[in-house]
Amino acid sequence: MREHDVFADRSIETERQADGTRLKFKTAGENLAIFQEGKWQPFFAQGVNLGATVPGHYPGELPIERADYMRWFEQIREMGANVIRVYTRHQPVFYDALVNYNRKHADDPLYFIQGIWSPEEQLIEKQDAYDPEIEATFRQEIENDVRAVYGDLEMPAAPGQASGDYKANAGPYLLGWSIGTEWDPVMVANTNKRHPDKASYVGPFFATTAKASPFEAWLAEMTDFAAKTEQPYGWRHPMSFTNWVTTDVLSHPKEPLFTEDMVSVDATHLKPVQWNAGYFASYHVYPYYPDFFRLDDPGGRTDPYASYLNKLKAYHQDMPIMVTEYGVPSSVGVSHVAPLGRSQGGRNETEQGKVDAELTQIIHDAGYAGAVLFMWQDEWFKKTWNTMPMELPEDRRAYWLNVLTNEKQFGLLGMYGGLEDKLVIDGEDGDWRKLKEPQKAELFSDVPGIESIEAAHDEAYVYLSIRLDHPFDPAKEKLELGADTLPGGNRHGDELPGKTLDEGLETLITIGEDEETGVKIAANYDMEKRLYGYVYGMIDMTAKELKDDSGLFNDWHLPVSLKMEPPDTKTAHPYEHADVGKLRRGTDNPASAAYDSFAMWQYKDGFVEVRIPWMLLGLADPSSLQAVSYEMPEEAFSTERIEGIRFVPWIVDEETNRVIGLEAGAGSEDTTSPEPAEPTGLVESAESPGVGPTESSEAYPVTQIPKYTWEGWDAVHYMERLKPSYNAMKEVYEAIGQRPKTGG
């Protein structure tokens, strides 16, 4: 132990105990309390979870720098938060930066909850918390994290772990400890079954009650070990362990999945012994998962989230309980549907803020001791069950932003692709004119009425600008842009009346009236139909849809609930999906009162611009030019490396349904890219020679259109910007004012 660091920051106001230890926070009845102005005062923890990474990196790489932390701490405190929660030990720079920041803001510091990561993968693999290797690993992690917080650790470099020389004593700013991660219910049940003789634990600081299970006794032992490890540093802080709805203490008869209601982990079965900092319950509670949130009250007579929190609070009598994860993302993609607009996705940044603030107020009004929102920054490395089968290779997820993956966009601090502040969707072409090659490229546009088409891309979208020789009127005409990425697809169809192509289209972009603007997908390329229809048999995939060149373009769907039937589930529920292919008209200019983070296209006079999420075009990983292939999937799809994308434009007269363009002809193909520019993660593209007419072909020569090409990237260019949800949280934090509902 580094003696000189033990009692650092003596100026911080604390209560010294008879044994010489110090308390800044403790539990008091159903609340947390903070010692300030010479007395204990009720304290409501209002804050955010802070991740360990930025775009282009995975958490184990721990790339966040001091300047990032200092900037974020200032923004978080300005928002009105008083606490941040970290899931695991960060690099030494985190603790050093926090101490430095708080010394500069001694009258209003930013506190933190230190999570201690349990060996999650080993627990799931071995299904036994008492496995000696698991226990040893977890104890070592607890010891390392406690020592790191107190600036008493020198950790050698190891893959996927924070390391370095921890010198800053951040202990005075610690609110409490949070032990472990969300518990796998099968593992918990199996641990209880294997060790019926271990349902009791009594330690010097924590013990079990008579009702404890073997897994809860294991948790008491680990919590006690954390307390024993902290004690020599002269401080005591409130203790907790992480829990979630899946292993909560309530019964959910309407929940269809057995594993979501099979076992409980009960915080009331642990109790502090000689630990006067106290102990509190901690839950992750989202409004959309598990499914009982939308099934318990299908008539909508009550608020299911508020009802659940009230029941959970009533169970935990005489002890504080906090919700340490909650919130909704600002993603186009949806993966769970919930009542009252609180789904997991499908809400723009403004709507996200409304829901996040609403949930915060509900938690506070239910008498909880704290609400820690998930989360501070967007995380590109995250995955979601309904896009995982198409998001490949898995180890490149962090290199691009898939806006169909909702887990990537929970943050109040948005992390956007590299062109977000350079190309604004607003119908104005000034930003396009400023963009220079190779950041943009001119595409083939030999269609009467179209003067030019330009393309650009970043880590999130492909951008297209279309200049017409006349004002665009969606009531009279619609623009169609077929996208050809792979051999195969539709060479004819209702959207191509009287026309045939010599190469098929995988996807089709329609720009017209608001309700018809969007991206559709060729039926035999349709990822939803192929995986959940052909492979799993949950939905119909007709014989015609299976055929190449079926002529059918389907809406672009993602599943939000799979077909469930007994005996695999308690009750039967149908397959459900969400349409994610619609392109919303508006502006993504954050300075505009009409700002809409979902705005994908706009027009003014004869200028039309649109941005298309990569996955809607079939890309599995644009950073390595991998497209989802036509091969039928097993659990996941296969991919195929492509050279680029051909965009095939035409205009349809809405009154006559006559196609303008797509005249049969052939010409020379040129897919040669210019010399690569410096690696910016932006555009490399071919020049676009015209397609000349010929009398020898009846099919339109898609194969002669040059491809839009780009260099793959490993270095990510992104920008960060506070979302409107940040301001919404600022308002609710100000209203709550760090005071609990009761006792405040």
Side-chain angles (χ1 to χ4, degrees):
M1 184 184 298
R2 294 171 178 167
E3 297 293 339
H4 64 282
D5 279 340
V6 173
F7 294 112
D9 286 300
R10 290 181 178 274
S11 62
I12 293 174
E13 190 178 11
T14 60
E15 182 182 73
R16 188 178 296 277
Q17 307 302 295
D19 61 0
T21 57
R22 303 168 73 185
L23 298 182
K24 179 65 179 177
F25 289 95
K26 70 176 183 177
T27 60
E30 297 183 350
N31 291 322
L32 290 173
I34 183 173
F35 192 79
Q36 58 186 12
E37 298 177 356
K39 60 182 179 180
W40 288 102
Q41 301 187 38
F43 180 88
F44 183 80
Q46 52 192 50
V48 292
N49 286 273
L50 181 71
T53 192
V54 293
H57 298 275
Y58 288 85
E61 298 176 56
L62 298 153
I64 303 173
E65 298 179 355
R66 181 186 181 89
D68 298 320
Y69 284 125
M70 294 298 283
R71 180 175 66 257
W72 294 350
F73 293 158
E74 185 65 34
Q75 291 169 328
I76 291 169
R77 205 65 189 87
E78 178 64 26
M79 182 174 61
N82 54 27
V83 64
I84 57 177
R85 176 174 175 247
V86 293
Y87 293 95
T88 187
R89 183 177 70 256
H90 281 222
Q91 293 285 71
V93 65
F94 166 75
Y95 304 96
D96 182 72
L98 185 64
V99 169
N100 184 268
Y101 177 83
N102 283 338
R103 285 173 176 167
K104 293 178 180 178
H105 301 81
D107 58 335
D108 193 21
L110 187 61
Y111 300 104
F112 74 109
I113 296 172
Q114 177 67 53
I116 302 178
W117 197 263
S118 53
E120 186 176 32
E121 293 183 1
Q122 289 176 280
L123 284 166
I124 293 174
E125 177 188 353
K126 296 188 176 182
Q127 295 290 295
D128 183 3
Y130 283 98
D131 178 88
E133 184 180 347
I134 288 174
E135 285 199 314
T137 300
F138 198 19
R139 285 174 180 270
Q140 187 62 62
E141 188 69 13
I142 292 170
E143 181 180 341
N144 290 342
D145 287 7
V146 172
R147 292 180 60 190
V149 165
Y150 286 100
D152 184 31
L153 177 68
E154 189 167 348
M155 192 73 182
Q161 293 188 9
S163 60
D165 194 0
Y166 292 79
K167 296 180 179 179
N169 181 5
Y173 304 108
L174 182 67
L175 184 150
W177 302 97
S178 183
I179 308 296
T181 48
E182 295 173 343
W183 309 112
D184 173 54
V186 180
M187 179 276 296
V188 173
N190 195 61
T191 298
N192 291 338
K193 183 179 179 180
R194 285 190 181 185
H195 304 281
D197 58 329
K198 294 184 177 180
S200 175
Y201 174 81
V202 178
F205 300 115
F206 280 86
T208 54
T209 69
K211 296 181 179 180
S213 69
F215 182 76
E216 290 159 356
W218 179 82
L219 273 175
E221 184 180 355
M222 295 300 111
T223 304
D224 188 60
F225 181 75
K228 286 188 286 188
T229 308
E230 182 180 42
Q231 173 71 8
Y233 289 97
W235 286 84
R236 291 185 181 181
H237 290 93
M239 292 282 180
S240 184
F241 66 82
T242 300
N243 207 355
W244 61 324
V245 178
T246 294
T247 52
D248 71 1
V249 293
L250 304 178
S251 176
H252 308 292
K254 295 285 184 70
E255 172 54 47
L257 297 179
F258 293 108
T259 54
E260 295 297 341
D261 199 29
M262 71 181 296
V263 68
S264 293
V265 179
D266 194 331
T268 69
H269 294 171
L270 280 69
K271 61 182 181 181
V273 179
Q274 302 297 323
W275 191 255
N276 49 6
Y279 163 69
F280 63 96
S282 170
Y283 275 89
H284 298 172
V285 187
Y286 292 93
Y288 47 75
Y289 183 83
D291 276 329
F292 74 79
F293 274 111
R294 66 186 179 113
L295 300 175
D296 274 0
D297 183 18
R301 294 181 298 275
T302 61
D303 181 331
Y305 192 74
S307 176
Y308 174 82
L309 289 181
N310 288 331
K311 293 175 185 176
L312 194 66
K313 177 69 170 63
Y315 185 91
H316 293 81
Q317 293 183 8
D318 302 322
M319 72 180 296
I321 179 172
M322 292 174 60
V323 179
T324 50
E325 267 194 32
Y326 66 99
V328 297
S330 60
S331 62
V332 172
V334 187
S335 65
H336 289 98
V337 174
L340 305 176
R342 298 169 183 164
S343 297
Q344 188 177 8
R347 295 288 175 264
N348 67 19
E349 293 171 0
T350 303
E351 295 162 337
Q352 174 201 29
K354 179 179 181 296
V355 174
D356 283 352
E358 184 178 68
L359 297 178
T360 305
Q361 193 68 60
I362 290 171
I363 294 167
H364 179 263
D365 290 350
Y368 280 63
V372 186
L373 182 75
F374 185 83
M375 73 169 313
W376 172 243
Q377 80 270 40
D378 286 345
E379 298 180 300
W380 290 11
F381 78 93
K382 285 291 189 69
K383 57 189 177 182
T384 301
W385 68 273
N386 61 359
T387 56
M388 283 169 58
M390 297 93 78
E391 219 171 46
L392 305 165
E394 294 182 16
D395 61 359
R396 297 193 65 83
R397 286 195 183 108
Y399 297 123
W400 63 293
L401 173 58
N402 184 4
V403 298
L404 303 191
T405 298
N406 64 79
E407 286 283 348
K408 297 176 185 289
Q409 294 186 280
F410 270 88
L412 301 177
L413 180 67
M415 300 290 189
Y416 306 93
L419 287 182
E420 179 74 16
D421 59 344
K422 296 180 177 65
L423 286 180
V424 178
I425 302 298
D426 58 4
E428 302 286 348
D429 67 352
D431 47 4
W432 279 91
R433 295 185 184 280
K434 291 178 183 178
L435 207 64
K436 304 299 182 184
E437 293 185 4
Q439 288 186 308
K440 68 177 180 180
E442 187 169 348
L443 301 184
F444 166 77
S445 58
D446 191 11
V447 174
I450 298 179
E451 289 185 347
S452 66
I453 302 177
E454 291 181 319
H457 74 271
D458 64 8
E459 290 79 358
Y461 301 99
V462 174
Y463 296 80
L464 299 171
S465 71
I466 306 165
R467 291 182 176 85
L468 306 177
D469 63 7
H470 59 279
F472 179 56
D473 185 350
K476 296 180 179 179
E477 63 184 351
K478 61 184 176 185
L479 303 175
E480 303 275 18
L481 285 158
D484 168 36
T485 51
L486 297 165
N490 285 334
R491 300 184 295 278
H492 80 290
D494 290 345
E495 294 82 2
L496 295 155
K499 302 291 182 179
T500 303
L501 311 177
D502 74 342
E503 177 53 83
L505 305 175
E506 279 65 54
T507 53
L508 179 65
I509 306 157
T510 298
I511 303 172
E513 298 276 23
D514 289 351
E515 64 275 8
E516 65 183 346
T517 299
V519 181
K520 291 191 173 186
I521 187 166
N524 70 320
Y525 191 58
D526 187 332
M527 290 109 183
E528 180 201 33
K529 287 293 186 81
R530 286 192 283 160
L531 184 57
Y532 299 101
Y534 182 85
V535 176
Y536 293 135
M538 294 185 181
I539 54 176
D540 291 332
M541 187 175 191
T542 66
K544 184 177 181 180
E545 287 177 306
L546 280 166
K547 292 181 179 178
D548 185 46
D549 191 26
S550 67
L552 300 175
F553 285 99
N554 293 340
D555 291 333
W556 225 114
H557 290 148
L558 284 176
V560 294
S561 183
L562 300 183
K563 186 177 182 179
M564 297 181 281
E565 293 181 330
D568 296 326
T569 57
K570 289 189 284 186
T571 53
H573 289 276
Y575 179 93
E576 299 173 73
H577 61 203
D579 188 340
V580 295
K582 297 296 185 185
L583 300 178
R584 188 183 297 180
R585 185 163 64 91
T587 179
D588 71 336
N589 181 358
S592 170
Y595 171 69
D596 182 355
S597 60
F598 282 6
M600 298 293 171
W601 79 285
Q602 188 54 282
Y603 72 96
K604 184 176 182 181
D605 299 325
F607 179 74
V608 181
E609 60 181 339
V610 59
R611 60 178 182 172
I612 307 105
W614 281 110
M615 185 163 277
L616 291 184
L617 296 171
L619 271 293
D621 172 37
S623 72
S624 62
L625 283 84
Q626 295 289 325
V628 175
S629 78
Y630 274 95
E631 186 178 339
M632 284 298 178
E634 293 181 2
E635 292 183 358
F637 288 86
S638 60
T639 65
E640 185 173 330
R641 183 176 172 84
I642 62 173
E643 295 178 1
I645 304 173
R646 291 190 182 97
F647 288 102
V648 187
W650 68 93
I651 299 174
V652 177
D653 186 298
E654 290 280 31
E655 184 177 351
T656 65
N657 204 34
R658 183 174 68 90
V659 171
I660 302 169
L662 300 185
E663 300 304 325
S668 61
E669 181 179 13
D670 181 359
T671 60
T672 305
S673 296
E675 288 297 315
E678 291 297 317
T680 61
L682 295 173
V683 170
E684 309 294 343
S685 175
E687 294 296 327
S688 301
V691 176
T694 177
E695 298 179 359
S696 63
S697 174
E698 295 182 358
Y700 182 77
V702 171
T703 53
Q704 302 304 305
I705 294 177
K707 294 173 181 174
Y708 175 66
T709 65
W710 64 95
E711 292 289 320
W713 65 84
D714 293 318
V716 165
H717 291 75
Y718 70 96
M719 63 154 293
E720 62 179 56
R721 183 178 68 225
L722 295 170
K723 300 178 184 178
S725 49
Y726 172 92
N727 294 321
M729 292 302 296
K730 184 175 183 178
E731 290 179 9
V732 76
Y733 285 157
E734 183 177 358
I736 291 172
Q738 308 183 58
R739 309 294 287 184
K741 182 71 173 179
T742 57

